[in-house]
Coordinates of all heavy atoms in Angstrom, one line a residue:
M1 N 19.3 -7.7 1.8 CA 20.6 -8.4 1.6 C 21.3 -8.4 2.9 O 22.1 -9.3 3.1 CB 21.4 -7.6 0.6 CG 20.8 -7.7 -0.8 SD 20.5 -9.4 -1.2 CE 21.7 -9.7 -2.5
E2 N 21.1 -7.5 3.8 CA 21.8 -7.6 5.2 C 21.3 -8.8 5.9 O 22.2 -9.5 6.5 CB 21.4 -6.3 6.0 CG 22.0 -6.3 7.4 CD 21.7 -5.1 8.1 OE1 21.9 -4.0 7.6 OE2 21.3 -5.2 9.3
E3 N 20.1 -9.2 5.8 CA 19.6 -10.4 6.4 C 20.3 -11.6 5.9 O 20.6 -12.6 6.7 CB 18.1 -10.5 6.3 CG 17.4 -11.5 7.2 CD 17.7 -11.3 8.6 OE1 17.6 -10.1 9.1 OE2 17.9 -12.2 9.4
Q4 N 20.6 -11.7 4.6 CA 21.3 -12.8 4.0 C 22.7 -12.9 4.6 O 23.2 -13.9 4.9 CB 21.4 -12.6 2.5 CG 22.0 -13.8 1.9 CD 21.2 -14.3 0.7 OE1 20.3 -13.7 0.2 NE2 21.5 -15.5 0.3
T5 N 23.4 -11.7 4.8 CA 24.7 -11.7 5.4 C 24.6 -12.3 6.8 O 25.5 -13.1 7.2 CB 25.2 -10.2 5.5 OG1 25.3 -9.7 4.2 CG2 26.6 -10.2 6.1
K6 N 23.6 -11.9 7.6 CA 23.5 -12.5 8.9 C 23.3 -14.0 8.9 O 24.0 -14.7 9.6 CB 22.3 -11.8 9.6 CG 22.4 -10.4 9.9 CD 21.1 -9.9 10.5 CE 21.1 -8.4 10.7 NZ 19.8 -7.9 11.3
Q7 N 22.4 -14.5 8.1 CA 22.1 -15.9 8.0 C 23.3 -16.7 7.4 O 23.6 -17.8 8.0 CB 20.8 -16.2 7.2 CG 19.6 -15.6 7.9 CD 19.3 -16.2 9.2 OE1 19.4 -17.4 9.4 NE2 18.9 -15.4 10.1
D8 N 23.8 -16.2 6.3 CA 24.8 -17.0 5.6 C 26.2 -16.9 6.1 O 27.1 -17.8 5.9 CB 24.8 -16.7 4.1 CG 23.5 -17.0 3.4 OD1 22.7 -17.8 4.0 OD2 23.3 -16.5 2.3
F9 N 26.5 -15.8 6.8 CA 27.9 -15.6 7.3 C 28.0 -15.5 8.8 O 28.7 -16.3 9.4 CB 28.5 -14.5 6.5 CG 29.9 -14.2 6.9 CD1 31.0 -15.0 6.5 CD2 30.3 -13.1 7.7 CE1 32.3 -14.8 6.9 CE2 31.6 -12.9 8.1 CZ 32.6 -13.7 7.7
I10 N 27.4 -14.4 9.3 CA 27.7 -14.1 10.7 C 27.2 -15.2 11.7 O 28.0 -15.7 12.5 CB 27.0 -12.8 11.1 CG1 27.6 -11.6 10.3 CG2 27.0 -12.5 12.6 CD1 26.9 -10.3 10.4
L11 N 26.0 -15.7 11.5 CA 25.5 -16.7 12.5 C 26.3 -18.0 12.3 O 26.7 -18.6 13.3 CB 24.0 -17.0 12.3 CG 23.1 -15.8 12.7 CD1 21.7 -16.2 12.4 CD2 23.3 -15.5 14.2
R12 N 26.6 -18.4 11.1 CA 27.4 -19.6 10.9 C 28.8 -19.5 11.4 O 29.4 -20.4 12.0 CB 27.5 -19.9 9.4 CG 26.2 -20.4 8.8 CD 26.3 -20.7 7.4 NE 24.9 -21.1 6.9 CZ 24.7 -21.5 5.7 NH1 25.8 -21.7 4.8 NH2 23.5 -21.8 5.2
L13 N 29.5 -18.3 11.2 CA 30.8 -18.1 11.7 C 30.8 -18.2 13.3 O 31.6 -19.0 13.8 CB 31.3 -16.7 11.3 CG 32.6 -16.3 12.0 CD1 33.8 -17.2 11.5 CD2 32.9 -14.8 11.7
F14 N 29.9 -17.5 13.9 CA 30.0 -17.5 15.4 C 29.5 -18.9 16.0 O 30.0 -19.3 17.0 CB 29.2 -16.3 16.0 CG 30.1 -15.1 15.8 CD1 29.8 -14.2 14.8 CD2 31.1 -14.8 16.7 CE1 30.6 -13.0 14.7 CE2 31.9 -13.7 16.6 CZ 31.6 -12.8 15.6
A15 N 28.6 -19.6 15.3 CA 28.2 -20.9 15.7 C 29.5 -21.8 15.6 O 29.7 -22.6 16.5 CB 27.1 -21.5 14.8
A16 N 30.2 -21.7 14.6 CA 31.5 -22.5 14.4 C 32.5 -22.2 15.5 O 33.3 -23.0 15.9 CB 32.1 -22.3 13.0
L17 N 32.4 -20.9 16.0 CA 33.4 -20.5 17.0 C 32.9 -20.9 18.4 O 33.5 -20.6 19.4 CB 33.6 -19.0 17.0 CG 34.4 -18.6 15.7 CD1 34.4 -17.0 15.7 CD2 35.8 -19.1 15.7
G18 N 31.7 -21.5 18.5 CA 31.2 -22.0 19.8 C 30.1 -21.2 20.4 O 29.7 -21.5 21.5
W19 N 29.7 -20.1 19.8 CA 28.7 -19.3 20.4 C 27.3 -19.9 20.2 O 27.0 -20.5 19.1 CB 28.7 -17.9 19.8 CG 29.8 -17.0 20.3 CD1 31.1 -17.0 19.7 CD2 29.9 -16.2 21.4 NE1 31.9 -16.1 20.5 CE2 31.1 -15.7 21.5 CE3 28.9 -15.9 22.4 CZ2 31.5 -14.8 22.5 CZ3 29.3 -15.0 23.4 CH2 30.6 -14.5 23.5
D20 N 26.4 -19.7 21.2 CA 25.0 -20.3 21.1 C 24.2 -19.2 20.3 O 23.4 -18.5 20.9 CB 24.5 -20.5 22.4 CG 23.1 -21.1 22.4 OD1 22.6 -21.5 21.3 OD2 22.4 -21.1 23.5
V21 N 24.3 -19.2 19.0 CA 23.6 -18.2 18.2 C 22.1 -18.4 18.1 O 21.4 -17.5 17.7 CB 24.2 -18.1 16.8 CG1 25.7 -17.7 16.8 CG2 24.1 -19.4 16.0
Y22 N 21.7 -19.6 18.4 CA 20.2 -19.8 18.4 C 19.6 -19.9 19.8 O 18.4 -20.2 19.9 CB 20.0 -21.1 17.6 CG 20.5 -21.0 16.2 CD1 21.6 -21.7 15.8 CD2 19.9 -20.2 15.3 CE1 22.2 -21.6 14.6 CE2 20.4 -20.1 14.0 CZ 21.5 -20.8 13.7 OH 22.1 -20.6 12.4
N23 N 20.3 -19.5 20.8 CA 19.9 -19.3 22.2 C 19.2 -20.6 22.7 O 18.2 -20.6 23.4 CB 18.9 -18.2 22.3 CG 19.6 -16.8 22.0 OD1 20.7 -16.7 22.5 ND2 19.0 -16.0 21.3
Q24 N 19.8 -21.7 22.4 CA 19.2 -23.0 22.9 C 19.6 -23.2 24.3 O 18.9 -23.9 25.1 CB 19.7 -24.2 22.0 CG 19.3 -24.1 20.6 CD 20.0 -25.1 19.7 OE1 21.0 -25.6 20.1 NE2 19.4 -25.4 18.6
Y25 N 20.7 -22.7 24.8 CA 21.3 -22.9 26.1 C 21.5 -21.6 26.9 O 22.3 -21.6 27.8 CB 22.6 -23.7 26.0 CG 22.4 -25.0 25.2 CD1 23.0 -25.0 23.9 CD2 21.7 -26.1 25.7 CE1 22.8 -26.2 23.2 CE2 21.6 -27.2 24.9 CZ 22.1 -27.3 23.7 OH 22.0 -28.4 22.9
G26 N 20.8 -20.6 26.6 CA 20.9 -19.4 27.3 C 21.0 -18.2 26.3 O 20.8 -18.3 25.1
N27 N 21.2 -17.0 26.8 CA 21.2 -15.8 26.0 C 22.6 -15.4 25.7 O 23.0 -14.2 26.0 CB 20.4 -14.7 26.7 CG 19.0 -15.0 26.8 OD1 18.4 -15.7 26.0 ND2 18.3 -14.6 27.9
T28 N 23.4 -16.2 25.1 CA 24.7 -15.8 24.8 C 24.8 -14.9 23.6 O 25.7 -14.0 23.5 CB 25.6 -17.0 24.5 OG1 25.1 -17.8 23.4 CG2 25.8 -17.9 25.7
V29 N 23.8 -15.0 22.7 CA 23.8 -14.0 21.5 C 22.3 -13.5 21.4 O 21.4 -14.3 21.4 CB 24.2 -14.7 20.2 CG1 24.1 -13.7 19.0 CG2 25.6 -15.3 20.3
T30 N 22.2 -12.2 21.4 CA 20.8 -11.7 21.2 C 20.8 -10.8 20.0 O 21.8 -10.1 19.7 CB 20.4 -10.9 22.4 OG1 21.4 -9.9 22.7 CG2 20.2 -11.7 23.6
A31 N 19.7 -10.8 19.2 CA 19.6 -10.0 18.0 C 18.9 -8.7 18.3 O 18.0 -8.7 19.2 CB 18.9 -10.8 17.0
E32 N 19.2 -7.7 17.5 CA 18.5 -6.4 17.6 C 18.5 -5.9 19.0 O 17.5 -5.5 19.6 CB 17.1 -6.5 17.0 CG 17.1 -6.8 15.6 CD 17.8 -5.8 14.7 OE1 17.7 -4.6 15.0 OE2 18.4 -6.2 13.7
E33 N 19.7 -5.9 19.6 CA 19.9 -5.4 21.0 C 20.0 -3.9 21.1 O 20.6 -3.3 20.3 CB 21.2 -6.1 21.5 CG 21.6 -5.7 22.9 CD 20.9 -6.6 23.9 OE1 20.3 -7.6 23.6 OE2 20.9 -6.2 25.1
K34 N 19.3 -3.4 22.1 CA 19.4 -1.9 22.4 C 20.8 -1.7 23.0 O 21.2 -2.3 24.0 CB 18.3 -1.5 23.3 CG 18.3 0.0 23.5 CD 17.1 0.5 24.3 CE 17.0 1.9 24.5 NZ 18.1 2.8 24.4
A35 N 21.5 -0.7 22.4 CA 22.8 -0.4 23.0 C 22.7 1.1 23.4 O 21.7 1.8 23.3 CB 23.9 -0.5 21.9
S36 N 23.8 1.7 23.9 CA 23.8 3.0 24.5 C 23.3 4.1 23.5 O 22.6 5.0 23.9 CB 25.1 3.4 25.1 OG 26.1 3.4 24.0
R37 N 23.6 4.0 22.3 CA 23.2 5.0 21.3 C 22.4 4.5 20.2 O 22.4 5.0 19.1 CB 24.5 5.7 20.8 CG 25.2 6.4 21.8 CD 26.4 7.1 21.2 NE 27.2 7.7 22.3 CZ 28.3 8.3 22.1 NH1 28.8 8.4 20.9 NH2 28.9 8.9 23.1
G38 N 21.6 3.5 20.4 CA 20.8 2.9 19.3 C 20.7 1.4 19.4 O 20.6 0.9 20.5
R39 N 20.6 0.8 18.3 CA 20.5 -0.7 18.3 C 21.7 -1.3 17.5 O 22.2 -0.7 16.6 CB 19.2 -1.1 17.6 CG 18.0 -0.8 18.3 CD 16.8 -1.6 17.8 NE 15.7 -1.7 18.7 CZ 15.6 -2.3 19.8 NH1 16.6 -2.9 20.3 NH2 14.5 -2.3 20.5
V40 N 22.0 -2.5 17.9 CA 23.1 -3.3 17.2 C 22.4 -4.6 16.7 O 21.4 -5.0 17.2 CB 24.3 -3.6 18.1 CG1 25.0 -2.3 18.5 CG2 23.8 -4.4 19.3
D41 N 23.0 -5.1 15.7 CA 22.4 -6.4 15.1 C 22.6 -7.5 16.1 O 21.7 -8.3 16.2 CB 23.1 -6.7 13.8 CG 22.6 -5.7 12.7 OD1 21.4 -5.4 12.6 OD2 23.5 -5.1 12.0
Y42 N 23.7 -7.6 16.7 CA 23.9 -8.7 17.7 C 24.8 -8.3 18.9 O 25.7 -7.5 18.7 CB 24.7 -9.9 17.0 CG 23.9 -10.6 15.9 CD1 24.3 -10.3 14.6 CD2 22.9 -11.4 16.2 CE1 23.6 -10.9 13.5 CE2 22.2 -12.0 15.2 CZ 22.5 -11.8 13.9 OH 21.8 -12.4 12.8
A43 N 24.4 -8.8 20.0 CA 25.1 -8.6 21.3 C 25.6 -10.0 21.7 O 24.8 -10.9 21.8 CB 24.3 -7.9 22.3
F44 N 26.9 -10.1 22.0 CA 27.4 -11.4 22.5 C 27.7 -11.2 24.0 O 28.4 -10.3 24.4 CB 28.7 -11.7 21.7 CG 28.4 -12.0 20.3 CD1 28.1 -11.1 19.3 CD2 28.5 -13.4 19.8 CE1 27.8 -11.4 18.0 CE2 28.2 -13.7 18.5 CZ 27.9 -12.7 17.6
R45 N 27.2 -12.2 24.7 CA 27.2 -12.1 26.2 C 27.8 -13.3 26.8 O 27.6 -14.4 26.3 CB 25.8 -11.9 26.8 CG 25.1 -10.7 26.3 CD 23.7 -10.7 26.8 NE 23.0 -9.5 26.4 CZ 23.0 -8.4 27.1 NH1 23.6 -8.3 28.3 NH2 22.4 -7.3 26.7
I46 N 28.5 -13.1 27.9 CA 29.0 -14.2 28.7 C 28.5 -13.9 30.1 O 28.7 -12.8 30.7 CB 30.5 -14.3 28.7 CG1 31.0 -14.7 27.3 CG2 31.0 -15.4 29.8 CD1 32.5 -14.7 27.2
N47 N 27.8 -14.8 30.7 CA 27.2 -14.6 32.0 C 26.3 -13.3 32.1 O 26.4 -12.5 33.0 CB 28.2 -14.6 33.2 CG 28.9 -15.9 33.3 OD1 28.3 -17.0 33.1 ND2 30.2 -15.9 33.6
E48 N 25.6 -13.1 31.0 CA 24.7 -12.0 30.9 C 25.4 -10.6 30.7 O 24.7 -9.6 30.6 CB 23.7 -11.9 32.1 CG 22.8 -13.1 32.2 CD 21.8 -13.3 31.1 OE1 21.3 -12.3 30.6 OE2 21.6 -14.4 30.7
I49 N 26.7 -10.6 30.6 CA 27.5 -9.4 30.5 C 27.9 -9.2 29.0 O 28.6 -10.1 28.5 CB 28.7 -9.4 31.4 CG1 28.2 -9.5 32.9 CG2 29.5 -8.1 31.2 CD1 29.4 -9.8 33.8
P50 N 27.5 -8.1 28.4 CA 27.9 -7.9 27.0 C 29.4 -7.9 26.9 O 30.2 -7.2 27.6 CB 27.4 -6.5 26.6 CG 26.3 -6.2 27.7 CD 26.7 -7.0 28.9
Q51 N 29.9 -8.7 25.9 CA 31.4 -8.7 25.6 C 31.7 -7.9 24.4 O 32.7 -7.3 24.4 CB 31.8 -10.2 25.4 CG 31.5 -11.1 26.6 CD 32.2 -10.6 27.9 OE1 33.4 -10.5 27.9 NE2 31.5 -10.4 28.9
F52 N 30.9 -8.0 23.4 CA 31.1 -7.2 22.1 C 29.8 -7.2 21.3 O 28.9 -8.0 21.6 CB 32.3 -7.7 21.3 CG 32.1 -9.1 20.8 CD1 31.6 -9.4 19.5 CD2 32.5 -10.2 21.6 CE1 31.5 -10.7 19.1 CE2 32.4 -11.5 21.1 CZ 31.9 -11.7 19.8
F53 N 29.8 -6.3 20.4 CA 28.6 -6.2 19.5 C 29.0 -6.4 18.0 O 30.2 -6.1 17.7 CB 28.0 -4.8 19.6 CG 27.6 -4.5 21.0 CD1 28.3 -3.6 21.8 CD2 26.4 -5.0 21.6 CE1 27.9 -3.3 23.1 CE2 26.1 -4.7 22.9 CZ 26.8 -3.9 23.6
V54 N 28.1 -6.8 17.2 CA 28.3 -7.0 15.8 C 27.2 -6.2 15.0 O 26.1 -6.4 15.3 CB 28.3 -8.5 15.4 CG1 28.4 -8.6 13.8 CG2 29.5 -9.2 16.0
E55 N 27.7 -5.4 14.1 CA 26.8 -4.7 13.2 C 26.9 -5.3 11.8 O 28.0 -5.3 11.3 CB 27.1 -3.2 13.2 CG 26.2 -2.3 12.4 CD 24.8 -2.4 12.9 OE1 24.5 -2.4 14.1 OE2 23.9 -2.3 12.0
A56 N 25.8 -5.7 11.2 CA 25.9 -6.4 9.9 C 25.5 -5.4 8.8 O 24.8 -4.5 9.0 CB 24.9 -7.5 9.9
K57 N 26.2 -5.7 7.7 CA 25.9 -4.9 6.4 C 25.8 -6.0 5.3 O 26.4 -7.0 5.4 CB 26.9 -3.9 6.1 CG 27.0 -2.8 7.1 CD 25.7 -1.9 7.0 CE 25.7 -0.8 8.0 NZ 24.4 -0.8 8.7
S58 N 25.1 -5.6 4.3 CA 25.1 -6.5 3.1 C 26.5 -6.7 2.5 O 27.3 -5.8 2.7 CB 24.1 -5.9 2.1 OG 24.7 -5.9 0.8
F59 N 26.8 -7.8 1.9 CA 28.1 -8.0 1.3 C 28.4 -6.9 0.2 O 29.5 -6.6 0.0 CB 28.2 -9.4 0.6 CG 28.4 -10.5 1.6 CD1 27.4 -11.5 1.8 CD2 29.5 -10.6 2.4 CE1 27.6 -12.5 2.7 CE2 29.7 -11.6 3.3 CZ 28.7 -12.6 3.4
K60 N 27.3 -6.4 -0.4 CA 27.5 -5.4 -1.5 C 27.8 -4.0 -0.9 O 28.2 -3.1 -1.6 CB 26.3 -5.4 -2.4 CG 26.1 -6.7 -3.1 CD 24.8 -6.6 -4.0 CE 24.6 -7.9 -4.7 NZ 23.4 -7.8 -5.6
A61 N 27.5 -3.8 0.4 CA 27.6 -2.5 1.0 C 29.0 -1.9 1.0 O 29.2 -0.7 1.0 CB 27.0 -2.5 2.4
G62 N 30.0 -2.8 1.2 CA 31.4 -2.3 1.3 C 31.6 -1.8 2.7 O 30.7 -1.7 3.5
V63 N 32.8 -1.5 3.1 CA 33.1 -1.1 4.5 C 33.8 0.3 4.5 O 34.2 0.7 5.6 CB 34.0 -2.1 5.2 CG1 33.3 -3.5 5.4 CG2 35.3 -2.4 4.4
D64 N 33.9 0.9 3.4 CA 34.6 2.2 3.4 C 33.7 3.4 3.5 O 34.2 4.5 3.3 CB 35.5 2.2 2.1 CG 34.6 2.1 0.8 OD1 33.5 1.7 0.9 OD2 35.2 2.4 -0.2
K65 N 32.5 3.3 3.8 CA 31.6 4.5 4.0 C 31.7 5.0 5.4 O 31.6 4.3 6.4 CB 30.2 4.1 3.6 CG 30.0 3.7 2.2 CD 28.6 3.5 1.8 CE 28.5 3.2 0.3 NZ 27.1 3.3 -0.2
D66 N 31.8 6.3 5.5 CA 31.9 7.0 6.8 C 30.7 6.7 7.7 O 30.9 6.5 8.9 CB 32.1 8.5 6.6 CG 33.4 8.9 6.0 OD1 34.4 8.1 6.1 OD2 33.6 10.0 5.5
E67 N 29.5 6.6 7.1 CA 28.3 6.4 7.9 C 28.4 5.0 8.5 O 27.9 4.9 9.7 CB 27.1 6.5 7.0 CG 27.0 5.5 5.9 CD 26.2 5.9 4.7 OE1 26.5 6.9 4.1 OE2 25.1 5.3 4.5
Y68 N 29.0 4.1 7.9 CA 29.1 2.7 8.5 C 30.1 2.7 9.7 O 29.8 2.1 10.7 CB 29.5 1.7 7.5 CG 28.5 1.5 6.4 CD1 28.8 0.9 5.2 CD2 27.1 1.8 6.6 CE1 27.9 0.7 4.2 CE2 26.2 1.6 5.5 CZ 26.6 1.1 4.3 OH 25.7 0.9 3.3
A69 N 31.2 3.4 9.5 CA 32.1 3.6 10.6 C 31.5 4.3 11.8 O 31.7 3.9 13.0 CB 33.4 4.3 10.1
F70 N 30.8 5.4 11.5 CA 30.1 6.1 12.6 C 29.1 5.2 13.3 O 29.1 5.2 14.5 CB 29.4 7.3 12.0 CG 28.7 8.2 13.0 CD1 29.4 9.0 13.8 CD2 27.3 8.1 13.1 CE1 28.7 9.8 14.7 CE2 26.7 8.9 14.1 CZ 27.4 9.7 14.9
Q71 N 28.3 4.4 12.6 CA 27.4 3.5 13.2 C 28.1 2.5 14.1 O 27.6 2.2 15.2 CB 26.6 2.8 12.1 CG 25.4 2.0 12.7 CD 24.7 1.3 11.6 OE1 25.1 1.1 10.5 NE2 23.5 0.8 11.9
A72 N 29.2 1.9 13.6 CA 29.9 0.9 14.4 C 30.5 1.5 15.7 O 30.5 0.9 16.7 CB 31.0 0.3 13.5
I73 N 31.0 2.7 15.6 CA 31.7 3.3 16.7 C 30.6 3.7 17.8 O 30.9 3.5 19.0 CB 32.5 4.6 16.3 CG1 33.7 4.1 15.5 CG2 32.9 5.4 17.5 CD1 34.4 5.2 14.7
N74 N 29.5 4.2 17.3 CA 28.5 4.6 18.3 C 27.7 3.4 18.8 O 27.0 3.4 19.8 CB 27.5 5.6 17.6 CG 28.2 6.9 17.6 OD1 28.7 7.4 18.6 ND2 28.2 7.5 16.4

């Protein structure tokens, strides 16, 4: 279900905001990126410099679980 969230919501949202989510014109968005303490679902870059990261969860997962907050912070 997390993959469905990525395809149906996250990628469409950021494409609408002008990000190159399919990497046709460079590496502005990379999937399954290694970060300092693990992996993130997406890294958003400008001129190869990470600007922010997105961690995806299924729509059914909710956002009030401590483990999800811990994962996002790290």
Side-chain angles (χ1 to χ4, degrees):
M1 293 309 248
E2 181 178 309
E3 194 59 37
Q4 185 130 16
T5 302
K6 292 176 184 179
Q7 295 297 320
D8 293 347
F9 180 72
I10 294 173
L11 292 178
R12 289 181 185 188
L13 171 66
F14 284 100
L17 293 172
W19 286 90
D20 181 14
V21 297
Y22 300 107
N23 294 320
Q24 297 170 342
Y25 305 106
N27 291 328
T28 56
V29 180
T30 55
E32 297 298 324
E33 178 84 13
K34 185 175 181 340
S36 62
R37 296 183 183 176
R39 291 201 165 288
V40 295
D41 289 312
Y42 295 104
F44 290 75
R45 300 170 176 274
I46 296 175
N47 296 325
E48 301 293 322
I49 300 169
Q51 302 298 305
F52 62 94
F53 303 105
V54 171
E55 182 61 36
K57 295 291 175 229
S58 132
F59 283 117
K60 295 179 182 179
V63 294
D64 58 345
K65 294 189 177 191
D66 290 341
E67 63 205 64
Y68 297 158
F70 180 77
Q71 184 181 21
I73 292 167
N74 285 308

